[in-house]
mmCIF file of all heavy atoms in Angstrom:
data_model
loop_
_atom_site.group_PDB
_atom_site.id
_atom_site.type_symbol
_atom_site.label_atom_id
_atom_site.label_comp_id
_atom_site.label_asym_id
_atom_site.label_seq_id
_atom_site.Cartn_x
_atom_site.Cartn_y
_atom_site.Cartn_z
ATOM 1 N N THR M 753 80.217 88.166 101.210
ATOM 2 C CA THR M 753 81.161 89.277 101.225
ATOM 3 C C THR M 753 81.283 89.855 99.811
ATOM 4 O O THR M 753 80.933 89.228 98.827
ATOM 5 C CB THR M 753 82.566 88.799 101.642
ATOM 6 O OG1 THR M 753 83.032 87.798 100.752
ATOM 7 C CG2 THR M 753 82.504 88.222 103.090
ATOM 8 N N GLU M 754 81.797 91.088 99.749
ATOM 9 C CA GLU M 754 82.074 91.718 98.470
ATOM 10 C C GLU M 754 83.125 90.918 97.709
ATOM 11 O O GLU M 754 84.131 90.505 98.331
ATOM 12 C CB GLU M 754 82.569 93.115 98.674
ATOM 13 C CG GLU M 754 81.459 94.173 98.820
ATOM 14 C CD GLU M 754 82.000 95.566 98.644
ATOM 15 O OE1 GLU M 754 83.034 95.868 99.270
ATOM 16 O OE2 GLU M 754 81.408 96.324 97.871
ATOM 17 N N ARG M 755 82.885 90.689 96.443
ATOM 18 C CA ARG M 755 83.833 90.024 95.560
ATOM 19 C C ARG M 755 84.257 88.649 96.089
ATOM 20 O O ARG M 755 85.358 88.151 95.834
ATOM 21 C CB ARG M 755 85.065 90.887 95.306
ATOM 22 C CG ARG M 755 84.745 92.263 94.712
ATOM 23 C CD ARG M 755 85.976 93.009 94.277
ATOM 24 N NE ARG M 755 86.872 93.238 95.425
ATOM 25 C CZ ARG M 755 86.730 94.203 96.338
ATOM 26 N NH1 ARG M 755 85.697 94.998 96.285
ATOM 27 N NH2 ARG M 755 87.596 94.316 97.299
ATOM 28 N N ASP M 756 83.384 88.027 96.899
ATOM 29 C CA ASP M 756 83.652 86.665 97.421
ATOM 30 C C ASP M 756 84.943 86.587 98.201
ATOM 31 O O ASP M 756 85.645 85.536 98.160
ATOM 32 C CB ASP M 756 83.623 85.642 96.277
ATOM 33 C CG ASP M 756 82.272 85.567 95.622
ATOM 34 O OD1 ASP M 756 81.266 85.535 96.350
ATOM 35 O OD2 ASP M 756 82.205 85.506 94.381
ATOM 36 N N GLN M 757 85.346 87.659 98.855
ATOM 37 C CA GLN M 757 86.556 87.630 99.632
ATOM 38 C C GLN M 757 86.385 86.787 100.894
ATOM 39 O O GLN M 757 85.369 86.929 101.612
ATOM 40 C CB GLN M 757 86.991 89.068 100.006
ATOM 41 C CG GLN M 757 87.272 89.962 98.825
ATOM 42 C CD GLN M 757 87.518 91.394 99.238
ATOM 43 O OE1 GLN M 757 88.666 91.839 99.227
ATOM 44 N NE2 GLN M 757 86.472 92.119 99.580
ATOM 45 N N HIS M 758 87.355 85.933 101.188
ATOM 46 C CA HIS M 758 87.226 85.064 102.359
ATOM 47 C C HIS M 758 87.701 85.817 103.584
ATOM 48 O O HIS M 758 88.811 85.579 104.118
ATOM 49 C CB HIS M 758 88.068 83.786 102.104
ATOM 50 C CG HIS M 758 87.411 82.823 101.170
ATOM 51 N ND1 HIS M 758 87.252 83.116 99.831
ATOM 52 C CD2 HIS M 758 86.879 81.605 101.378
ATOM 53 C CE1 HIS M 758 86.623 82.085 99.272
ATOM 54 N NE2 HIS M 758 86.404 81.148 100.141
ATOM 55 N N PHE M 759 86.847 86.723 104.051
ATOM 56 C CA PHE M 759 87.170 87.582 105.177
ATOM 57 C C PHE M 759 86.422 87.262 106.437
ATOM 58 O O PHE M 759 86.430 88.008 107.404
ATOM 59 C CB PHE M 759 86.916 89.048 104.773
ATOM 60 C CG PHE M 759 87.950 89.666 103.908
ATOM 61 C CD1 PHE M 759 87.814 90.960 103.427
ATOM 62 C CD2 PHE M 759 89.092 88.962 103.535
ATOM 63 C CE1 PHE M 759 88.770 91.550 102.628
ATOM 64 C CE2 PHE M 759 90.050 89.537 102.714
ATOM 65 C CZ PHE M 759 89.893 90.844 102.282
ATOM 66 N N VAL M 760 85.730 86.143 106.465
ATOM 67 C CA VAL M 760 84.977 85.714 107.650
ATOM 68 C C VAL M 760 85.827 84.693 108.414
ATOM 69 O O VAL M 760 86.143 83.585 107.849
ATOM 70 C CB VAL M 760 83.641 85.104 107.274
ATOM 71 C CG1 VAL M 760 82.872 84.650 108.530
ATOM 72 C CG2 VAL M 760 82.785 86.080 106.479
ATOM 73 N N THR M 761 86.190 85.006 109.647
ATOM 74 C CA THR M 761 86.967 84.083 110.456
ATOM 75 C C THR M 761 85.997 83.087 111.128
ATOM 76 O O THR M 761 85.008 83.477 111.722
ATOM 77 C CB THR M 761 87.716 84.838 111.560
ATOM 78 O OG1 THR M 761 88.536 85.835 110.958
ATOM 79 C CG2 THR M 761 88.612 83.899 112.358
ATOM 80 N N VAL M 762 86.290 81.817 111.006
ATOM 81 C CA VAL M 762 85.375 80.775 111.460
ATOM 82 C C VAL M 762 86.060 79.869 112.493
ATOM 83 O O VAL M 762 87.176 79.427 112.332
ATOM 84 C CB VAL M 762 84.900 79.878 110.263
ATOM 85 C CG1 VAL M 762 83.899 78.846 110.750
ATOM 86 C CG2 VAL M 762 84.298 80.758 109.165
ATOM 87 N N PHE M 763 85.301 79.604 113.572
ATOM 88 C CA PHE M 763 85.723 78.591 114.548
ATOM 89 C C PHE M 763 84.597 77.562 114.643
ATOM 90 O O PHE M 763 83.411 77.883 114.810
ATOM 91 C CB PHE M 763 85.925 79.221 115.919
ATOM 92 C CG PHE M 763 87.225 80.021 116.056
ATOM 93 C CD1 PHE M 763 87.294 81.305 115.650
ATOM 94 C CD2 PHE M 763 88.339 79.381 116.554
ATOM 95 C CE1 PHE M 763 88.450 82.034 115.766
ATOM 96 C CE2 PHE M 763 89.535 80.107 116.666
ATOM 97 C CZ PHE M 763 89.612 81.406 116.278
#
Side-chain angles (χ1 to χ4, degrees):
T753 60
E754 275 195 312
R755 303 187 303 279
D756 297 315
Q757 298 174 105
H758 285 68
F759 282 177
V760 180
T761 304
V762 182
F763 284 85

